[in-house]
């Protein structure tokens, strides 16, 4: 499937994954970690892979550079089918794919300079060239002053910047990141995200990252892939995903209740009582800047109804307002039903969560 997103002229996909499957086999058990995953990304497109723990996110990422061997399907980078290459060719092809890790994976006995130089040394690049390249990489991640320090002398954020510099050593086309900021505090994570954003744009990198953090998805992704039990349950452009995920797994990750921190007792009670009652909990998916005013204008047509705003989580991402709004609507069930029908006629996405007996 081809996905929309940032496309900078080059029309052929940089990364093409077809029918990817991965089964881990040991003496005692077989775990099907990935099933029939297909997608394409063009130059400079940025894909977030999300899903619950054990969904297969890291497996998918590692299959993209064959760190884990897929058991089915193919991975193609810039038209080269990695899954059919021999060892030597694969080593060269991997230069087009950089990778950064959650816990940085630096060598502790090597200085920062030596860590960044490692992929170049392994590729047999002449010393003088290595030195030049490493300096320019360290400058790019603003760590030239730490070149002779050891990883233990650096903060978490600085270590991840070393990881990024090392991943860029061979000027890759694709950068893979497995939870790049989850070992960092919120402030440091923001700096690392800003750096990834800046570098990926500057270098036109195709970015594939795994994360549990919605902030990272919002900041970087053009497209979101949701994995569920090893299968791709949706592949959705970011603004659409944030407004209304298509799959059940996507909705679970982004439940309005989870995002809005609605009182649990209210949501639980409403979920136990399906349909419309004298106090009905409605959740609206917000996907445009004027969506909330449209919703309230519609509600003002029913002066018999009383409305409490019980939760809202609306963010502006790259010029689009997206999120959710939850209202507890009080009044005669027939009138509430009429209002819901009016929303549906106007194609304003509304979910009737259920009704509650007590007010919020
Ligand atoms: N080396 C391995 N050998 C056997 N099973 C594995 C191996 N690595 C992962 N698995 C299993 O494959 C499935 C997918 O694991 P994976 O690590 O890809 O999930 P994940 O989505 O990255 O999870 P998390 O969010 O917890 O990091 C899980 O059931 C896991 O237990
Ligand atoms: Mg993982």
């Amino acid at each position: 499937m081809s996905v929309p997103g940032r496309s900078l002229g080059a029309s052929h996909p940089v990364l093409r994954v077809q029918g990817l499957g991965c089964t881990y086999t040991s003496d005692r058990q077989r775990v099907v970690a990935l099933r029939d995953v297909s997608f394409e990304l063009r130059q400079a497109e940025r894909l977030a892979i999300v899903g619950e723990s054990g969904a297969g996110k890291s497996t998918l990422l590692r299959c993209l550079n064959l760190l884990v061997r897929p058991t089915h399907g193919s991975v193609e980078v810039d038209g080269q089918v990695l899954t059919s290459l021999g060892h030597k060719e694969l080593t060269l092809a991997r230069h087009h794919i950089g990778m950064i890790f959650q816990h940085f994976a630096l060598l502790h006995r090597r200085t920062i300079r030596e860590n960044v130089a490692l992929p170049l040394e392994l590729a047999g690049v002449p010393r003088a060239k290595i030195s030049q390249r490493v300096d320019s990489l360290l400058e790019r991640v603003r760590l030239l002053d730490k070149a002779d320090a050891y990883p233990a002398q650096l903060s978490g954020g600085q270590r991840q910047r070393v990881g990024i510099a090392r991943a860029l050593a061979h000027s890759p086309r694709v950068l893979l990141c497995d939870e790049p900021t989850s070992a960092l505090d919120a402030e440091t994570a923001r700096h690392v995200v800003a750096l990834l954003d800046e570098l990926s744009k500057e270098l036109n990198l195709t970015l594939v990252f795994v994360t549990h953090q919605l902030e990272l998805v919002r900041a970087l992704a053009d497209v979101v892939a949701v994995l569920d039990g090893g299968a791709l349950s949706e592949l959705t452009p970011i603004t659409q995903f944030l407004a209304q995920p298509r799959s059940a797994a996507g909705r679970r990750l982004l439940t309005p209740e989870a995002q809005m921190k609605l009182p649990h007792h209210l949501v639980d009670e409403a979920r136990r009582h399906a349909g419309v009652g004298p106090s009905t909990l409605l959740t609206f998916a917000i996907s445009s800047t004027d969506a909330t005013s449209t919703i309230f204008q519609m509600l003002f047509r029913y002066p018999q109804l009383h409305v409490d705003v019980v939760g809202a989580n609306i963010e502006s991402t790259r010029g689009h307002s997206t999120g959710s709004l939850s209202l507890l609507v009080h009044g005669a069930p027939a009138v509430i039903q009429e209002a819901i029908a009016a929303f549906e006629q106007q194609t304003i996405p509304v979910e009737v969560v259920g009704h509650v007996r007590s007010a919020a």
Side-chain angles (χ1 to χ4, degrees), residues 193-355:
V193 170
L195 181 66
L196 280 173
D197 185 31
E198 176 192 315
L199 288 174
S200 62
K201 281 179 180 154
E202 216 174 284
L203 304 171
N204 279 334
L205 288 172
T206 300
L207 199 68
V208 184
F209 62 97
V210 167
T211 187
H212 284 280
Q213 296 166 316
L214 202 58
E215 257 187 74
L216 190 59
V217 176
R218 276 186 212 286
L220 289 182
D222 295 317
V223 185
V224 181
V226 181
L227 280 182
D228 186 19
L232 192 57
S233 62
E234 67 174 292
L235 192 63
T236 311
I238 179 67
T239 47
Q240 200 176 328
F241 178 79
L242 292 174
Q244 202 164 32
R246 291 184 187 136
S247 66
R251 284 193 290 278
R252 277 202 300 282
L253 294 171
L254 211 69
T255 58
E257 294 86 1
Q259 298 307 314
M260 288 188 281
K261 300 186 177 69
L262 287 186
H264 285 300
H265 70 88
L266 182 71
V267 178
D268 289 348
E269 192 185 340
R271 292 221 180 275
R272 278 199 305 275
H273 301 98
V276 172
S279 292
T280 300
L281 183 60
L282 301 180
T283 294
F284 295 85
I286 304 298
S287 58
S288 66
T289 316
D290 57 0
T292 47
S293 61
T294 310
I295 291 165
F296 285 109
Q297 274 164 22
M298 297 271 295
L299 282 168
F300 290 151
R301 292 188 206 157
Y302 301 90
Q304 321 84 303
L305 298 180
H306 293 269
V307 178
D308 289 317
V309 177
V310 287
N313 178 52
I314 300 168
E315 299 227 9
S316 182
T317 304
R318 288 169 251 171
H320 292 268
S321 285
T322 55
S324 315
L325 171 71
S326 275
L327 304 178
L328 195 58
V329 181
H330 312 276
V335 181
I336 299 178
Q337 194 70 67
E338 204 184 310
I340 294 167
F343 285 123
E344 284 167 349
Q345 273 165 23
Q346 296 282 316
T347 59
I348 295 171
V350 56
E351 182 202 354
V352 181
V353 182
H355 62 274

